[in-house]
């Protein structure tokens, strides 16, 4: 016997939530910025730079980020070497194999100037996967001392400026009544309520099994839960 029965009513819907007709979100993969000189004291920056870029973009735009787990699965399945993710060919293959719209990849190296000043040099590539073309390529550099995070922030702003032509602004998206679930919404971040009459009985929890039932009145509740890999999903109850 199935564990419980869930009533979901489908007719005469009166939604009290964000619009369900929102345009589909762009899928964006942001790879690790590869430490091409393998300097162990700066290895932590590979993922840290990536997180900084992702945070910058998520604060401004609406998009569906590719999770690290999915990225690793695509890499393994398609024999894409992690340390080559900064190359255009591997980044393009990642985007095509992973069903992404845009891939942002890059690398960095640490350089010591004559005055013993330490500089970080970051090379960035942004790819339009559908059109198989380069949206932008640039090099950004700056101090790698106590001002390192300012340098990374400046680079992230340059990426954000390029993505302005690709991604919808989050504030504009919300003004139109669209939900931002699937970007960076917190637990229970997206909430909706609907009043409905006449419908079906969904058995088994998530509606895999159902059969007709007598007309009735009821309500539906939708909210956002995070998946294990960090990508929010929606459940209806």
């Amino acid at each position: 016997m199935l564990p419980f029965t869930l009533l979901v009513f489908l007719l005469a819907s009166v939604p009290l939530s964000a619009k369900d007709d929102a345009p589909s979100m762009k899928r964006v993969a942001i790879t690790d910025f590869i430490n091409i000189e393998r300097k162990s004291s700066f290895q932590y920056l590979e993922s840290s730079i990536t997180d900084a870029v992702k945070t910058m973009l998520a604060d401004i735009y609406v998009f569906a980020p590719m999770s690290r787990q999915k990225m690793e699965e695509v890499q393994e399945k398609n024999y894409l070497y992690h340390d080559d993710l900064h190359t255009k060919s591997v980044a393009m293959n990642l985007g095509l194999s992973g069903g992404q719209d845009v891939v942002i990849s890059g690398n960095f190296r640490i350089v010591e100037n004559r005055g013993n000043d330490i500089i970080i040099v970051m090379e960035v590539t942004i790819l339009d996967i559908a059109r198989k073309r380069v949206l932008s390529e640039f090099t950004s550099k700056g101090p790698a001392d106590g001002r390192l995070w300012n340098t990374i922030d400046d680079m992230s702003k340059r990426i954000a400026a390029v993505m302005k032509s690709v991604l919808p602004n989050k504030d504009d998206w919300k003004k139109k009544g669209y939900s931002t679930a699937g970007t960076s919404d917190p637990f229970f971040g997206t909430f909706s309520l609907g009043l409905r009459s006449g419908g079906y009985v969904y058995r088994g929890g998530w509606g895999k099994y159902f059969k007709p039932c007598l007309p009735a009145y009821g309500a539906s509740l939708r909210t956002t839960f995070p998946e294990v890999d960090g990508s929010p999903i929606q459940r209806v109850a």
Side-chain angles (χ1 to χ4, degrees), residues 49-214:
I49 294 175
T50 301
D51 290 341
V53 172
K54 186 179 296 185
T55 298
M56 172 73 73
L57 294 180
D59 285 344
I60 303 172
Y61 302 115
V62 174
F63 64 98
M66 188 180 195
S67 69
R68 181 172 292 274
Q69 178 181 330
K70 181 177 179 180
M71 193 177 300
E72 290 174 351
E73 290 173 354
V74 172
Q75 288 175 229
E76 181 177 359
K77 183 177 180 180
N78 295 277
Y79 305 101
L80 304 178
Y81 186 45
H82 174 268
D83 289 352
D84 290 336
L85 286 174
H86 65 102
T87 65
K88 285 194 284 291
S89 59
V90 174
M92 182 65 74
N93 281 327
L94 174 71
L96 291 170
S97 302
Q100 301 300 293
D101 297 302
V102 177
V103 173
I104 300 172
S105 65
N107 63 63
F108 72 90
R109 64 183 186 277
I110 304 298
V111 179
E112 290 189 18
N113 287 341
R114 291 181 178 180
N116 293 325
D117 293 330
I118 301 177
I119 302 296
I120 183 171
V121 180
M122 295 170 285
E123 296 178 339
V124 179
T125 302
I126 304 175
L127 301 176
D128 180 336
I129 302 304
R131 295 178 174 82
K132 297 182 181 179
R133 67 187 180 94
V134 177
L135 280 175
S136 180
E137 281 184 291
F138 64 85
T139 299
S140 182
K141 60 184 178 180
D145 49 22
R147 296 165 289 177
L148 172 62
W149 294 107
N150 291 333
T151 301
I152 294 173
D153 189 60
D154 289 341
M155 181 273 296
S156 300
K157 289 178 180 177
R158 290 185 65 178
I159 293 177
V162 173
M163 298 302 288
K164 184 177 181 179
S165 63
V166 179
L167 301 177
N169 181 275
K170 180 176 284 188
D171 291 337
D172 293 341
W173 187 273
K174 288 181 178 179
K175 286 177 183 177
K176 293 177 181 177
Y178 299 145
S179 168
T180 56
T183 54
S184 57
D185 282 1
F187 191 59
F188 290 119
T190 300
F191 179 89
S192 66
L193 176 66
L195 302 177
R196 298 181 171 96
S197 65
Y200 298 92
V201 175
Y202 276 21
R203 301 182 63 86
W206 305 120
K208 293 180 180 178
Y209 307 93
F210 63 92
K211 65 179 182 179
C213 72
L214 295 175

